[in-house]
Amino acid sequence: MAEVMVVTSGKGGVGKTTSTAALGAALAQTGQTVAVVDFDVGLRNLDLIMGAERRVVYDLINVANGEARLHQALIRDKRIETLYLLPASQTRDKDALTEEGVKRVIGELRERFDWIICDSPAGIERGATLAMKYADLAVVIANPEVSSVRDSDRIIGLLDAKTEKAESGQRMEKHLLLTRYDAARAGRGEMLSVEDVLEILSIPLLGIIPESEEVLRASNVGSPVTLNNAASAPARAYMDAARRLCGEDVAMSIPMHRKGFLDRLFGRRAA
Amino acid sequence: MTIQTKPTRAIRFRGRSFLALVLNPELPVGEWLGEVDAWLGRSPGFFGGKPVVLDVTGLSLDRKSLPALIADLAQRQIRIMGIEGAEAKLASPDLPPFLSGGRPASFMGRPEPEPEPVKTAANPAAHSLLVEAPVRSGQSIVFPEGDVTVMGSIGSGAEVIAGGSIHIYGALRGRAMAGAYGNARARIFCRKLEAELIAIDGLYKIADEIEPQLRKKPVQAWLEDETMKITLLD
Ligand SMILES: Nc1ncnc2c1ncn2[C@@H]1O[C@H](COP(=O)(O)OP(=O)(O)OP(=O)(O)O)[C@@H](O)[C@H]1O
Ligand SMILES: [Mg+2]
């Protein structure tokens, strides 16, 4: 049965698009059919991260408004044949999307795919509420810092109030993906700890993605990090998260910073 | 053939009582407005959509200063639905209606609670509200009828406003305002105090004014002689 999953955060730039691409690719690599859908109308990014920007013809708005058929707009990934992208429009206004249009597109996607992953725009306005509206489950992205966590708290409130699932009295399944986790800075107490974030948000943890240059490197060549360097730490963390989404029990470890020579030398002398 | 006759209609009036927040400016009014600004700085939009009555008792306002005060409040997005305690001769069609006979709110029968986004179970007999989910940032729970019990935490940027006491079994990180409709006996209890603001009967403390040794601790807050006391629960 199809699962519609929204990747959302409230705060901008925390890793929604990176995570949508990475999780989408990881799920598709298991042979399941996956569509990643860019809801960031006017600021589309997912096509770049997926390396499909030069193949965009039609977009989500065209399909939602009946100007194009779904199969005309879907772009098949060149690396994984079960992975598809439904891009956003870069030129249209976000008000061009209607609830009815989105509902119809999601309904059509449900018939073709095992996973439909909606990359939400930042904020709590229309674009973000449309991206979550018809979802069955949510991946809430947060960075370990106060403002990101508070925005995620706000988004969780909206997931529990403004989605079709919530409105019909059902419980929205929510998972926390903690991204850009810098073990060295966490060790120095410069960021919220994993426990702090979990205590504040009180939703189950799907995974911890370390801060890594690999993420930028992958996006520069238009590849989800899970495909570009599958052995890298962020890729492995995303693959573990994808397996947890499929119901597998995968042990989770908090990334630790191995103390370097200088840290050991100066570590004791902190004022 | 039938002849159509216009049915007689009547305009029906019904009396109904509502709860309103009452603003009671103090002299000098300029200073008091400064306090309002400080409050709004911490709780932007606090008065938005809430019925507000202006009690001008003791301010000796005249034909000029009363409309000026209303305009000052309107500028701060505080819309006044009625004026209490003004001399009858000041009434004019440009001003909100003059009210009399207002009573401090108690726990007696009240109209239905305002709709709010969190799934809750109000028990009309006991005048208490049970909130089973955490109150998330941006959510506001308003329950003038009595006590509110929150099973989870109140997030940073969330608020609970109760006519009675507020009991929080998780952490209080946002704002809790107990006795908000006039009840100095209301209290606030929470398992972990990290509040941005707590208020009882309109008297409030912000985070910076709460003693550091109480932070993250289980506490209760109440009023004693118009000052707020906060002590550890255990
Ligand atoms: N784990 C990571 N390590 C290092 N950099 C990261 C990581 N995750 C994301 N980034 C970087 O952070 C930036 C923002 O990421 P991304 O575009 O995925 O965020 P977003 O939440 O989709 O942003 P927006 O709200 O603008 O849509 C990008 O430059 C990305 O490369
Ligand atoms: Mg994005």
Side-chain angles (χ1 to χ4, degrees), chain B residues 45 98 125 157 180 205:
Chain B
F98 284 18
K205 272 195 181 185

Side-chain angles (χ1 to χ4, degrees), chain A residues 55 57-59 63 68-76 84-87 105 108-109 112-113:
Chain A
R55 295 160 66 205
V57 183
Y58 295 108
D59 56 53
V63 184
R69 307 278 300 279
L70 179 61
H71 69 85
Q72 295 176 294
L74 282 170
I75 303 170
R76 184 194 216 145
Y84 287 78
L85 164 71
L86 182 54
V105 177
E108 279 183 50
L109 286 165
R112 279 194 57 178
F113 292 95

Side-chain angles (χ1 to χ4, degrees), chain A:
Chain A
M1 211 189 78
E3 294 271 17
V4 179
M5 178 167 90
V6 62
V7 177
T8 185
S9 70
K11 191 172 164 73
V14 295
K16 294 178 291 298
T17 302
T18 303
S19 301
T20 301
L23 291 173
L27 288 167
Q29 271 182 313
T30 67
Q32 304 180 82
T33 51
V34 178
V36 291
V37 185
D38 193 347
F39 273 82
D40 208 343
V41 175
L43 283 172
R44 71 174 205 222
N45 266 188
L46 192 54
D47 55 330
L48 289 170
I49 304 285
M50 302 283 294
E53 72 278 8
R54 297 203 301 202
R55 295 160 66 205
V56 174
V57 183
Y58 295 108
D59 56 53
L60 171 64
I61 291 182
N62 293 140
V63 184
N65 294 352
E67 297 151 6
R69 307 278 300 279
L70 179 61
H71 69 85
Q72 295 176 294
L74 282 170
I75 303 170
R76 184 194 216 145
D77 189 81
K78 285 191 167 155
R79 298 148 294 209
I80 308 175
E81 56 176 33
T82 52
L83 179 61
Y84 287 78
L85 164 71
L86 182 54
S89 166
Q90 183 74 344
T91 49
R92 301 277 288 267
D93 190 83
K94 60 180 183 305
D95 295 331
L97 267 185
T98 63
E99 253 178 38
E100 305 75 61
V102 170
K103 183 175 182 160
R104 198 170 43 72
V105 177
I106 298 279
E108 279 183 50
L109 286 165
R110 274 183 195 277
E111 285 168 20
R112 279 194 57 178
F113 292 95
D114 298 320
W115 290 92
I116 297 117
I117 310 180
C118 306
D119 180 18
S120 173
I124 54 169
E125 309 301 329
R126 190 179 160 76
T129 51
L130 272 178
M132 68 171 65
K133 184 83 195 192
Y134 303 102
D136 303 312
L137 74 158
V139 171
V140 177
I141 309 285
N143 295 162
E145 43 116 356
V146 178
S147 64
S148 168
V149 171
R150 185 214 263 218
D151 288 359
S152 293
D153 194 44
R154 176 115 212 226
I155 277 290
I156 294 170
L158 294 182
L159 287 166
D160 285 336
K162 293 266 168 83
T163 52
E164 199 179 54
K165 217 162 180 188
E167 280 163 0
S168 64
Q170 288 169 278
R171 210 187 63 85
M172 181 77 165
E173 186 183 327
K174 300 169 289 280
H175 301 274
L176 174 66
L177 193 59
L178 196 57
T179 59
R180 310 203 67 166
Y181 186 82
D182 186 331
R185 294 186 57 200
R188 293 195 296 267
E190 291 169 15
M191 295 186 322
L192 290 177
S193 70
V194 177
E195 302 82 66
D196 285 344
V197 178
L198 283 175
E199 201 218 300
I200 293 174
L201 294 179
S202 55
I203 58 171
L205 183 62
L206 181 65
I208 303 168
I209 314 296
E211 170 82 18
S212 162
E213 285 173 9
E214 284 300 327
V215 171
L216 190 62
R217 209 167 289 153
S219 75
N220 281 338
V221 297
S223 171
V225 66
T226 35
L227 295 183
N228 195 51
N229 182 355
S232 68
R236 280 183 288 136
Y238 275 121
M239 286 190 275
D240 282 353
R243 286 166 62 197
R244 290 185 194 106
L245 280 174
C246 297
E248 265 184 69
D249 199 0
V250 186
M252 191 157 352
S253 63
I254 297 176
M256 287 296 187
H257 178 57
R258 256 176 268 111
K259 285 205 166 183
F261 174 67
L262 287 179
D263 288 310
R264 255 177 280 145
L265 201 60
F266 295 113
R268 303 255 162 179
R269 267 200 269 147

